[in-house]
Amino acid sequence: YRGIASFYYPLALTSLIGLTIQPMLTFFMGRAPSPLESLAVFPVVHSLSFIFRALGLSFQEVGIALMGKDHEHFPELRRFALTLSVLVAGGLGLVAFTPLVTVWFEVVSGLTPELAAFAITPTRIIVIFPALTVLISLERAILVTGKRTGPITWATAVEVLTIAILFPVFGWGVGMIGVTAAFLAAVLGRLGSTAFLAVPSRRMLSRSSERAPDPPGP
């Protein structure tokens, strides 16, 4: 039970910390420029991004299931992750940077042209977000397979702290529209957490390669 608790506790804490992001952004947007427009547009943009991010979120379970005891299948999963990253980021980019963005927000989502205009810039900012979701899912899968879950919690804490620091700078200091400041801070926060997990993930892979048996001779 002690082993189960030490493995599970950081994962549970990660979810609890991550749940603070959206209420925090809502609080900040309500006190930034164009609060009503930002609060109206935020869930619409978030839902659009989630369509593509969901593919990356599910990749974590795939990585855990197929990584192998000593991460021997990491090269194949890495290639698949790169392909998936390009596809999900490209899919969101296809919507964000073409006339499809107007169709999505005004026809599908039912926003007025004025609100749709507020949604375009944040949508373009978060084009990279689905790719980052795939990458961080791969890093988490590496650590979970290696039974080292502590860094995952710290990475989420870094993400939340980065957002808490950057949103006041963008929204209150620079005067950026609230929803734009929210998604820009969120993307940079995810970049920070992804970069934080890069070091422990590499160390875990290095240890696995040292334990791996030498290939049989001819």
Side-chain angles (χ1 to χ4, degrees):
Y1 281 108
R2 183 178 299 173
I4 294 173
S6 63
F7 179 82
Y8 171 73
Y9 172 73
L11 297 176
L13 188 59
T14 297
S15 299
L16 291 175
I17 295 173
L19 288 173
T20 64
I21 293 178
Q22 189 160 339
M24 179 175 62
L25 289 176
T26 301
F27 173 82
F28 284 151
M29 284 187 292
R31 289 153 182 81
S34 304
L36 294 179
E37 293 84 354
S38 296
L39 292 172
V41 164
F42 179 84
V44 181
V45 178
H46 186 271
S47 298
L48 173 61
S49 70
F50 189 78
I51 294 174
F52 298 94
R53 289 189 295 114
L55 298 173
L57 292 171
S58 60
F59 184 66
Q60 179 174 326
E61 283 69 30
V62 175
I64 293 171
L66 301 180
M67 189 74 68
K69 182 178 179 181
D70 289 318
H71 302 89
E72 61 266 25
H73 300 304
F74 170 73
E76 294 88 346
L77 288 169
R78 178 179 57 190
R79 287 194 295 270
F80 185 87
L82 290 174
T83 303
L84 182 60
S85 298
V86 172
L87 290 176
V88 293
L92 183 55
L94 183 64
V95 176
F97 291 97
T98 68
L100 287 174
V101 71
T102 302
V103 175
W104 180 266
F105 287 129
E106 294 186 17
V107 179
V108 178
S109 301
L111 295 180
T112 63
E114 292 77 13
L115 287 178
F118 276 90
I120 292 175
T121 298
T123 303
R124 291 173 177 172
I125 287 174
I126 61 171
V127 163
I128 193 177
F129 213 124
L132 292 175
T133 302
V134 175
L135 179 56
I136 201 169
S137 293
L138 179 62
E139 292 174 333
R140 288 174 176 175
I142 293 169
L143 295 171
V144 170
T145 305
K147 296 182 173 59
R148 190 182 175 205
T149 55
I152 299 175
T153 302
W154 285 107
T156 305
V158 167
E159 183 171 349
V160 174
L161 182 61
T162 301
I163 294 172
I165 293 173
L166 291 182
F167 187 100
V169 173
F170 297 145
W172 301 339
V174 181
M176 193 177 291
I177 292 174
V179 67
T180 304
F183 281 111
L184 181 57
V187 168
L188 294 176
R190 179 55 57 90
L191 276 171
S193 63
T194 304
F196 182 89
L197 285 181
V199 174
S201 298
R202 288 197 192 101
R203 289 176 180 171
M204 183 66 66
L205 292 172
S206 297
R207 292 172 187 169
S208 297
S209 62
E210 292 172 358
R211 292 194 304 265
D214 295 330

